[in-house]
């Protein structure tokens, strides 16, 4: 099945300065808190793999070369009531 539209997913990062050696957790959340499945994380279009923690990816210890453009992809469980 194809991945959901990218605007249905949000990649959350801490709203603080990050320093080398820190631990940072990236979280992939669904639009309107919809359930997200089969999450994969990417850095500069390189697949970092399926998240073992469900919807989170932890970078520890954080290194200078971990900086870059990150995004996530996955499926969003969306249920629509029958008409």
């Amino acid at each position: 099945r194809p991945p959901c539209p990218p605007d249905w997913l949000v990649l959350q990062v801490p709203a603080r300065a990050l320093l080398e050696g820190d631990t940072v957790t990236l979280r992939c959340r669904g639009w309107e808190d919809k359930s997200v499945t089969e999450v994969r994380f990417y850095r500069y279009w390189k697949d970092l793999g399926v998240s073992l923690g469900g919807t989170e990816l932890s970078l520890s210890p954080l290194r200078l070369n971990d900086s870059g453009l990150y995004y996530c992809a996955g499926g969003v469980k969306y249920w629509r009531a029958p008409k």
Side-chain angles (χ1 to χ4, degrees):
R1 104 185 161 209
C4 67
D7 55 345
W8 280 42
L9 295 173
V10 176
L11 183 62
Q12 293 182 317
V13 296
R16 61 177 173 83
L18 299 171
L19 302 172
E20 207 167 355
D22 284 353
T23 296
V24 64
T25 300
L26 307 177
R27 179 177 293 136
C28 191
R29 302 266 318 254
W31 173 70
E32 293 187 347
D33 285 327
K34 300 279 190 263
S35 180
V36 181
T37 61
E38 302 172 31
V39 173
R40 298 186 84 82
F41 289 89
Y42 297 84
R43 179 176 172 265
Y44 288 125
W45 301 275
K46 180 182 179 206
D47 188 350
L48 300 176
V50 175
S51 171
L52 298 177
T55 60
E56 296 182 349
L57 174 70
S58 184
L59 302 174
S60 179
L62 198 58
R63 298 169 299 176
L64 188 57
N65 64 352
D66 287 326
S67 67
L69 173 68
Y70 287 81
Y71 68 97
C72 63
V76 173
K77 290 184 180 179
Y78 182 76
W79 181 82
R80 187 179 300 181
K83 293 181 179 183

